Amino acid sequence: MVYIVAKCISFQVIEKEVIVENKITLKRCALNFESYSIINAFKNVDFTYVDFCRIDISTIEEKKAFWIFLLNNRIIVSKENYKVEPLLRLHNQTYFGLQAQEYIEVRNKICLLGIPYAMGNINSLSIEKAPSYLRTISSRFNIAHLNTNLLGQLIGMDMQLLESNKEALFHNTTDIGDLFYYLTESPSNYFHKIDRLISHLVKNKNIPFSIGGDHSISYPIIKAISDNNDIGIIHFDAHSDTYFSEIDEFYGDITVNHHGNFLTKVLELDRVKKVITLGPRGLKGCQLTGELNKKHMLFSSFQIQENNDWLSAIDTDLSYYLTFDVDVFHLSLLTGVSDPISNGLSFNKVISMLDILFKRLNIVGIDLVEVDPQRDQTGVTGDIVLQLIVHLLTRTVNNKYKN
């Protein structure tokens, strides 16, 4: 394999050492002058591990250790894959005061990550700010220091469930930062990064909990998770997200997918065996021409409020991925959404549905999308969405570490 020194790396020579900084992730490390001279020799050339081993440092063990250090700190990268290498920027403020951790190091945890991508919904580009918006608000509420009895009362959660999972929630959930997106980057390239990142997390037995961004991000996540497993999809949304036009077909992989047709793409995946859409409504809530895909079942908000027929659609032999568009809620409850439709579900109804789902199913991943900070003038949307995240995290922790 051919390597290069990463182009986003800068070097600052100071009195006794050299500070190396990744301009994307903002991660820093220090090198001595000998190490810096070695990197500098490879700065503008392609090289292999064999080339690297020819450098004049004392033992092969030292060379191997230095090589691993350079790779882990993304100072050198594969020339073939560097454009799709996932680069995540960690933040001093984290979701709910949780530990920040490099994704490459995480094993067997629930990983909160931001995917600040909005080019799949050009009518509401401010949704790219949702991950940082929600992270900033939630950082004021450190889970380790909260009174769980009072918190349970205030957000309508079983206090015993919250208390019994508090320690596991704090120690087994980590904030791995935001996946960097460059404005001129193609959708295909960014989605390839998402795919690589999620594949790595799942391989290491983590559960990804992604915060978007628009709903187009769900396709590469689901694709990565379903690559090696048969799964079902639980899709909370005011829309069916199965829209189709001849223009989509004409452009194909150039446009990839957008927030209104991501589920059309998901239904094409062989190892996605069932999709259950919960909460669509209104004239613009669903593709009204053609027939539903045979593995897609849809239950409108009106049906859900009248009965529990949606439960019969669940195949408990499958593991499920949960994708959650916050516009599924009633418009009077959440105004900070990108594409609102009236007659949505209440918060209590959604929480009761989630309670049933988590008791019956193995949930292998979650995403939450389409929060629009610019439209959240009162801050109520942010508050309700964070309550929802606490519910989802607590139940995920309970299923993963208590069963």
Side-chain angles (χ1 to χ4, degrees):
M1 185 176 289
V2 177
Y3 293 86
I4 58 173
V5 175
K7 296 180 180 180
C8 57
I9 294 294
S10 69
F11 299 91
Q12 181 185 4
V13 180
I14 56 178
E15 188 175 340
K16 294 183 178 180
E17 59 188 6
V18 178
I19 303 299
V20 183
E21 181 177 41
N22 186 308
K23 291 298 185 181
I24 292 177
T25 66
L26 303 183
K27 184 178 180 181
R28 288 183 163 199
C29 61
L31 298 174
N32 59 36
F33 286 107
E34 181 185 11
S35 299
Y36 172 61
S37 66
I38 293 168
I39 296 169
N40 213 31
F42 289 110
K43 200 169 181 182
N44 297 309
V45 298
D46 301 347
F47 59 94
T48 66
Y49 180 63
V50 173
D51 296 327
F52 182 83
C53 286
R54 294 194 183 106
I55 60 177
D56 187 21
I57 53 179
S58 53
T59 67
I60 192 65
E61 287 76 17
E62 287 178 329
K63 291 176 183 177
K64 186 179 292 186
F66 188 37
W67 178 264
I68 292 170
F69 170 83
L70 294 175
L71 284 174
N72 288 346
N73 285 278
R74 301 296 192 273
I75 297 171
I76 60 173
V77 292
S78 160
K79 183 179 180 180
E80 180 183 358
N81 296 323
Y82 85 94
K83 288 185 178 179
V84 292
E85 183 72 23
L87 294 172
L88 285 92
R89 179 173 290 180
L90 295 176
H91 299 269
N92 292 327
Q93 290 181 319
T94 63
Y95 289 110
F96 302 105
L98 294 167
Q99 178 187 9
Q101 195 171 359
E102 295 278 350
Y103 84 91
I104 205 79
E105 304 166 353
V106 182
R107 303 287 186 277
N108 196 34
K109 290 193 176 182
I110 298 160
C111 298
L112 278 165
L113 65 142
I115 304 183
Y117 180 80
M119 297 306 291
N121 183 0
I122 59 174
N123 295 319
S124 191
L125 291 176
S126 60
I127 58 180
E128 70 175 7
K129 297 181 174 64
S132 60
Y133 177 66
L134 295 170
R135 185 183 278 110
T136 299
I137 301 171
S138 71
S139 66
R140 304 169 194 163
F141 307 102
N142 190 310
I143 282 180
H145 303 141
L146 293 177
N147 181 323
T148 50
N149 286 329
L150 182 57
L151 177 62
Q153 294 178 57
L154 294 176
I155 67 172
M157 180 182 283
D158 182 328
M159 289 177 282
Q160 186 175 355
L161 177 68
L162 190 56
E163 178 63 33
S164 64
N165 287 285
K166 179 180 176 180
E167 186 174 343
L169 182 60
F170 186 75
H171 292 292
N172 295 310
T173 307
T174 187
D175 183 344
I176 62 171
D178 290 345
L179 181 62
F180 181 77
Y181 172 70
Y182 187 59
L183 280 176
T184 61
E185 188 172 2
S186 71
S188 297
N189 198 70
Y190 193 67
F191 291 159
H192 197 167
K193 288 181 181 178
I194 296 173
D195 188 318
R196 285 171 63 90
L197 171 62
I198 299 301
S199 295
H200 176 87
L201 293 175
V202 171
K203 179 182 176 181
N204 289 305
K205 303 187 184 307
N206 300 297
I207 295 179
F209 190 137
S210 309
I211 297 176
D214 73 68
H215 220 153
S216 67
I217 68 166
S218 301
Y219 172 71
I221 298 172
I222 292 168
K223 179 181 177 298
I225 291 177
S226 66
D227 275 348
N228 297 305
N229 300 282
D230 291 344
I231 62 169
I233 310 296
I234 302 291
H235 171 223
F236 281 88
D237 207 311
H239 312 81
S240 68
D241 292 342
T242 53
Y243 299 94
F244 170 81
S245 75
E246 291 180 355
I247 295 175
D248 287 338
E249 188 175 56
F250 177 77
Y251 281 105
D253 287 340
I254 297 174
T255 54
V256 188
N257 64 281
H258 52 75
H259 76 129
N261 77 346
F262 94 91
L263 204 60
T264 304
K265 302 286 186 179
V266 167
L267 287 161
E268 295 172 357
L269 298 171
D270 290 339
R271 303 202 70 170
V272 171
K273 300 302 182 182
K274 176 168 283 195
V275 176
I276 304 169
T277 296
L278 303 171
R281 55 200 185 265
L283 291 176
K284 63 175 183 175
C286 187
Q287 178 76 21
L288 295 174
T289 57
E291 297 182 0
L292 285 177
N293 185 296
K294 290 181 179 179
K295 57 185 179 182
H296 187 198
M297 301 191 71
L298 185 148
F299 298 87
S300 74
S301 63
F302 302 99
Q303 291 173 290
I304 291 169
Q305 291 173 78
E306 288 176 359
N307 56 60
N308 285 324
D309 288 353
W310 62 274
L311 289 170
S312 63
I314 295 172
D315 179 356
T316 54
D317 291 331
L318 282 174
S319 294
Y320 279 81
Y321 180 84
L322 174 60
T323 178
F324 200 106
D325 187 328
V326 296
D327 66 17
V328 75
F329 289 114
H330 197 286
L331 180 56
S332 64
L333 186 65
L334 261 72
T335 57
V337 298
S338 64
D339 197 4
I341 303 180
S342 60
N343 298 316
L345 300 176
S346 71
F347 185 80
N348 288 344
K349 181 63 179 178
V350 168
I351 295 306
S352 67
M353 294 170 73
L354 290 173
D355 191 48
I356 294 169
L357 290 170
F358 275 89
K359 285 177 178 176
R360 296 189 180 192
L361 304 177
N362 175 38
I363 304 297
V364 293
I366 301 170
D367 69 60
L368 188 148
V369 297
E370 302 285 349
V371 174
D372 190 339
Q374 192 168 297
R375 301 185 188 189
D376 188 18
Q377 299 298 315
T378 62
V380 170
T381 297
D383 180 68
I384 292 173
V385 169
L386 290 176
Q387 291 182 48
L388 174 64
I389 291 173
V390 173
H391 277 271
L392 290 168
L393 281 176
T394 304
R395 285 169 169 78
T396 305
V397 167
N398 186 65
N399 281 11
K400 184 171 176 64
Y401 300 106
K402 295 291 185 180
N403 292 345

